[in-house]
Amino acid sequence: MQLVQIVKSLTHALSHTQIRGIAAAIAAISAVGLSLSASLPLLALTLEARGIGTTWIGINTAFSGVASILATPVAPYLARKLGTPQSLLLCLLIAGISLPLFYLTKNFWVWFPLRLLFHGAATAAFILSEFWINALAPPKQRGFLMGIYATVLSLGFASGPLILTFAGTSGALPFVLASAGIILAALPVLVGFSAAPRIEDKSTSKIYAFLWIAPAATLAGFVFGAIEQSGISLLPLFGLKTGLTPAMATLLVSAMGAGSVIFQIPLGLLSDRMDRRHLLAYCGAFGVVGALLLIPLSSSFYGLLTLLFVWGGVIAGLYTVGLTHLGARFTGADLASANAAFVLMYSLGQLVGPTTTGIALSAWGSAGLPLIFAGFLGAYVIICLIRSTRLGAAS
């Protein structure tokens, strides 16, 4: 009943143009997420089928993180020069065209610049879409809207591998279908074209400055990126080291992903009713406790599934609430740059997280993954507490 009232208040707070614009941005980036989640395993499997060693596959895959880092300052610049919808359409076109080139190109070394093109364009599309949604969201329902966005995006990522189930992992068909999904994402952008936010002026700060201006929000992106990527890649290895079968170990990732889908709207609603800095710290603190509980619960398969479901959902709130916090603090070009800083930190986390977690698993066994996760989250909570103390002293 309360959810119905929230939806009604949201429709009253937004004009038809704003609703069309927000829906268009969410639909577009969710389509990109679906195709992206299909393309990542597809590219790795294609390289393996062509006889490329796992080390080089890993190095080539890491270039997606490099592409994301390089793309972050480009997205706000494009939005200011060309306009938000025009820039988003350009990024979708580049990503959609470059994806089939991976299949057509037999020279492995050409895959490196292709990674820069494809993943750079996809990253810029995420920055532009999240800026679009954040800029149009009404202040009192911003968390709720970002929760809807995160939920739909998570569903898109979870559904992407179904493309490979249908089309297989060999031949041109899976590349064509994934590419078509990205290009078709242009349709909702065209529908909401006139509702996109405009950027008239330059940002008052450089992208990297937002790491100091809004550390609780931007570092939330880093921590979540590190844990999400490590969880997807290494939770099955953690499961194997605790004695689970391969089939059971892969379900740990599914439990974590399911929680991230279910918890985002409730956390978004909660962020509309309390200080978001405090909520981010609470999510981090819960994450520390949950990560450490993975060690004693490692002997219970169903205990692990239940914990990872709740823990994964709360940790994913770092992404949702972090973005919401940025939207509440900044507008215009500053918001676009802040979103870019957030995605930059998320991308860095994706690079750092699996590396450190993999080393910890090798050195400390199954306890390595929980301890590294607790370390990331504990450091984040300390930074949030220091930030809150300084803000309190300033007031």
Side-chain angles (χ1 to χ4, degrees):
M1 193 68 178
Q2 186 179 10
L3 185 59
V4 174
Q5 294 176 343
I6 292 170
V7 172
K8 285 183 178 179
S9 65
L10 179 62
T11 55
H12 287 309
L14 293 169
S15 66
H16 291 298
T17 301
Q18 287 175 306
I19 293 174
R20 188 175 75 250
I22 292 172
I26 291 176
I29 203 58
S30 298
V32 174
L34 187 147
S35 294
L36 191 61
S37 65
S39 68
L40 291 175
L42 176 61
L43 293 176
L45 291 170
T46 299
L47 285 177
E48 184 182 44
R50 293 181 180 180
I52 304 299
T54 54
T55 300
W56 280 109
I57 292 175
I59 293 172
N60 184 255
T61 303
F63 253 63
S64 61
V66 176
S68 297
I69 293 169
L70 293 176
T72 49
V74 175
Y77 174 82
L78 286 177
R80 184 166 55 86
K81 291 294 184 180
L82 303 179
T84 303
Q86 295 92 331
S87 302
L88 184 52
L89 288 172
L90 176 63
C91 292
L92 295 175
L93 184 64
I94 292 173
I97 292 176
S98 61
L99 182 55
L101 295 180
F102 286 101
Y103 173 74
L104 296 174
T105 301
K106 305 302 180 183
N107 187 332
F108 171 64
W109 301 109
V110 179
W111 277 50
F112 287 92
L114 281 179
R115 287 274 189 183
L116 295 178
L117 269 180
F118 175 66
H119 289 283
T123 298
F126 273 95
I127 294 170
L128 292 166
S129 297
E130 288 171 352
F131 161 67
W132 188 333
I133 299 164
N134 236 338
L136 294 183
K140 292 183 179 180
Q141 291 89 15
R142 177 173 278 110
F144 176 54
L145 272 175
M146 296 310 295
I148 292 174
Y149 159 70
T151 301
V152 174
L153 182 61
S154 296
L155 288 171
F157 269 109
S159 304
L162 294 177
I163 295 177
L164 303 184
T165 303
F166 167 76
T169 58
S170 60
L173 182 59
F175 286 91
V176 171
L177 290 178
S179 173
I182 295 173
I183 292 176
L184 287 174
L187 294 178
V189 177
L190 293 173
V191 171
F193 196 92
S194 61
R198 298 177 181 274
I199 298 179
E200 304 292 344
D201 302 315
K202 290 184 179 181
S203 174
T204 57
S205 303
K206 300 290 185 182
I207 287 177
Y208 305 104
F210 287 95
L211 304 182
W212 289 268
I213 297 172
T218 51
L219 290 177
F222 174 83
V223 174
F224 178 65
I227 291 177
E228 180 194 44
Q229 193 66 25
S230 299
I232 293 171
S233 305
L234 300 173
L235 260 179
L237 296 182
F238 164 80
L240 292 177
K241 286 181 179 293
T242 62
L244 299 180
T245 66
M248 296 167 72
T250 56
L251 287 177
L252 300 181
V253 180
S254 300
M256 183 176 169
S260 69
V261 172
I262 300 299
F263 276 70
Q264 297 322 294
I265 290 178
L267 284 171
L269 286 169
L270 188 59
S271 77
D272 287 331
R273 288 161 172 74
M274 63 179 292
D275 189 315
R276 295 185 179 103
R277 291 190 191 91
H278 293 165
L279 182 55
L280 286 168
Y282 295 150
C283 287
F286 180 89
V288 173
V289 175
L292 294 176
L293 284 175
L294 289 172
I295 299 174
L297 285 176
S298 60
S299 59
S300 170
F301 174 59
Y302 293 105
L304 280 178
L305 288 181
T306 303
L307 174 61
L308 285 169
F309 174 77
V310 179
W311 183 81
V314 174
I315 292 304
L318 292 173
Y319 193 95
T320 303
V321 180
L323 278 177
T324 305
H325 182 46
L326 292 178
R329 283 201 62 185
F330 304 107
T331 59
D334 284 341
L335 177 56
S337 293
N339 273 339
F342 184 89
V343 174
L344 170 65
M345 295 306 293
Y346 174 77
S347 301
L348 285 173
Q350 288 185 311
L351 287 175
V352 173
T355 304
T356 54
T357 306
I359 293 172
L361 276 171
S362 298
W364 303 328
S366 62
L369 179 141
L371 290 174
I372 287 294
F373 284 0
F376 277 128
L377 290 159
Y380 174 72
V381 172
I382 291 171
I383 291 171
C384 286
L385 292 175
I386 292 173
R387 176 67 170 172
S388 297
T389 301
R390 288 180 176 177
L391 289 174
S395 61

